[in-house]
Amino acid sequence: MANEIAGPASKALASLTQAQISFLQSLPKAELHAHLNGCIPISELQKMAREYSGTSLSSGSVLEGIAKLQAGVVLDQLSDFFGLFSAIYALTSNPDSLRRATRAVLTQFLDGENPQCEYLELRSTPRETPEMSRMEYVCAVLDEVERYPKSRAALIVSLDRRMTDEVVSECINIALDLKEAGRRVVGVDLCGDPQAGDMDTLSEHFAAAKRGGLGVTLHIAETLENPAQETLKLLSYAPDRLGHATFLNEDAKTVVREAGTPIEVCLSSNLLCKTVSSIEGHHIRYYLRHDHPIAICTDDTLPFRNSLLGEYALLLASPPLGLGLSENEVRRIAAMGMNARFGVATL
Ligand code: 6MZ
């Protein structure tokens, strides 16, 4: 199982009674912020690494990368996080291996006696490799997503902040063309290293996505270093949801609250990347205080060793392990997540 090494979510889960766990399992939950390559179960990744037939040099560094993930990742800051993906990417660089990884991620969230969630909006960044185009990448992921009914799974196409304008344009067109062709793309996302890229050039791309009926979600103000001007610029694209929104200043908070934009909250991710120092100090409290819509999400179950159930356990568990919310409050939060699905509006 992927989540054996205790992180905040599994510690919170371990502190709950069986009745509390059953309560959390019984809630209809939506996972709206999960990155495909960040959510491959470690057992599957290890199998893929053993079968990997790259050059011996890269296969050594892939195995080293996987071993690091297996040992449990300790991050000093968010920028340390992005280096984790090179080994994973080597293993998901052709349509077959990508399909296999996608299948394992979907199974982890949606299958079994007690699925993690009722509905999953999986997101992934189209990657061009010697073995596939970006279009082939997205189609391979969609083939797996579409094995599930519409009411259970959909895809968000991620744009990485390091992409050139040309590649952003290609990805938006892929998302729009596939949606038009009846494939299950429901939105686009902006992700990647928060320090990278130029956010001034994205306006037309997000406008095109919106005109084509796609939802727009943006990783925003994930670190203290994200300039306030950049945050306001991203908000001017009228996103439908926001990822993290950890460091909004008062102006940005006003915009977000007036627009009622739901926030994808990733508690373990923020704690383990040290953008938030403790659960008591997490910005979720601000949104709860203002009765602002939120969706509880996992982000990357592979490095963070969490699960959606574990993230909900962080809401219910008593301090200091969790927020100590009541069952009624947690039920309401789960309903907010379900209401924030892009699939509701666009499918
Ligand atoms: C920003 C993140 C992220 O797209 O290859 N990603 N971007 N902030 C985060 N918070 C921790 N977690 C993951 O999945 C992996 C990619 O998702 C983005 C990164 O760009 C990472 O390379 P896909 O399926």
Side-chain angles (χ1 to χ4, degrees), residues 35-37 81-82 85 89 124-125 160 192 219 222 299-300:
H35 298 270
L36 194 168
N37 283 285
F81 171 82
F82 296 95
F85 287 94
Y89 281 170
S124 197
T125 318
D160 190 295
H219 283 63
E222 195 175 352
D299 211 1
D300 299 281

Side-chain angles (χ1 to χ4, degrees), residues 33-314:
H33 187 132
H35 298 270
L36 194 168
N37 283 285
C39 290
I40 305 171
I42 189 89
S43 53
E44 189 64 30
L45 206 60
Q46 284 168 325
K47 272 192 240 154
M48 292 171 77
R50 281 195 294 271
E51 294 165 26
Y52 181 66
S53 60
T55 67
S56 52
L57 183 67
S58 61
S59 114
S61 67
V62 166
L63 291 171
E64 215 174 281
I66 304 303
K68 269 193 208 154
L69 283 162
Q70 193 188 8
V73 175
V74 180
L75 300 163
D76 281 330
Q77 49 186 335
L78 183 60
S79 52
D80 295 342
F81 171 82
F82 296 95
L84 300 176
F85 287 94
S86 53
I88 303 171
Y89 281 170
L91 297 176
T92 57
S93 60
N94 63 56
D96 283 344
S97 58
L98 181 61
R99 275 198 196 92
R100 176 173 170 182
T102 308
R103 216 158 31 238
V105 174
L106 290 161
T107 298
Q108 165 181 262
F109 280 107
L110 295 172
D111 293 346
E113 207 180 316
N114 288 305
Q116 295 287 314
C117 55
E118 185 87 6
Y119 173 80
L120 167 65
E121 260 165 33
L122 187 61
R123 61 183 69 189
S124 197
T125 318
R127 220 172 341 120
E128 184 177 58
T129 74
E131 292 168 280
M132 63 186 162
S133 64
R134 292 189 181 87
M135 177 59 104
E136 285 167 332
Y137 182 106
V138 179
C139 287
V141 176
L142 275 173
D143 287 344
E144 297 302 325
V145 165
E146 290 167 354
R147 285 172 187 268
Y148 291 80
K150 262 188 190 180
S151 57
R152 300 220 61 207
L155 179 68
I156 294 174
V157 171
S158 289
L159 310 170
D160 190 295
R161 291 174 61 118
R162 286 158 293 197
M163 282 175 174
T164 62
D165 197 58
E166 201 183 1
V167 175
V168 169
S169 178
E170 181 189 341
C171 291
I172 295 275
N173 287 333
I174 289 171
L176 288 169
D177 290 349
L178 289 172
K179 179 175 163 47
E180 178 91 13
R183 305 292 307 259
R184 211 178 298 157
V185 183
V186 293
V188 292
D189 160 48
L190 178 71
C191 69
D193 185 345
Q195 307 310 320
D198 175 5
M199 299 303 102
D200 284 344
T201 56
L202 295 169
S203 156
E204 190 37 48
H205 299 299
F206 288 122
K210 284 176 88 90
R211 276 196 306 275
L214 292 169
V216 170
T217 178
L218 307 174
H219 283 63
I220 197 167
E222 195 175 352
T223 66
L224 191 53
E225 288 77 35
N226 285 111
Q229 276 318 103
E230 175 194 280
T231 299
L232 289 173
K233 170 67 75 180
L234 290 174
L235 290 175
S236 75
Y237 302 153
D240 303 288
R241 292 201 311 248
L242 296 169
H244 302 293
T246 310
F247 297 100
L248 298 184
N249 69 11
E250 288 310 315
D251 290 345
K253 281 179 179 162
T254 304
V255 175
V256 169
R257 282 187 42 213
E258 282 177 0
T261 316
I263 313 290
E264 300 153 0
V265 170
C266 308
L267 295 164
S268 293
S269 164
N270 300 152
L271 291 168
L272 291 170
C273 290
K274 300 196 174 68
T275 54
V276 170
S277 56
S278 67
I279 187 122
E280 304 93 82
H282 196 280
H283 49 289
I284 188 174
R285 288 205 184 275
Y286 172 85
Y287 296 110
L288 291 175
R289 212 165 44 244
H290 291 279
D291 200 24
H292 186 90
I294 58 171
I296 298 297
C297 305
T298 55
D299 211 1
D300 299 281
T301 57
L302 172 60
F304 302 140
R305 294 169 189 280
N306 56 347
S307 62
L308 195 60
L309 198 72
E311 294 303 298
Y312 274 82
L314 285 165

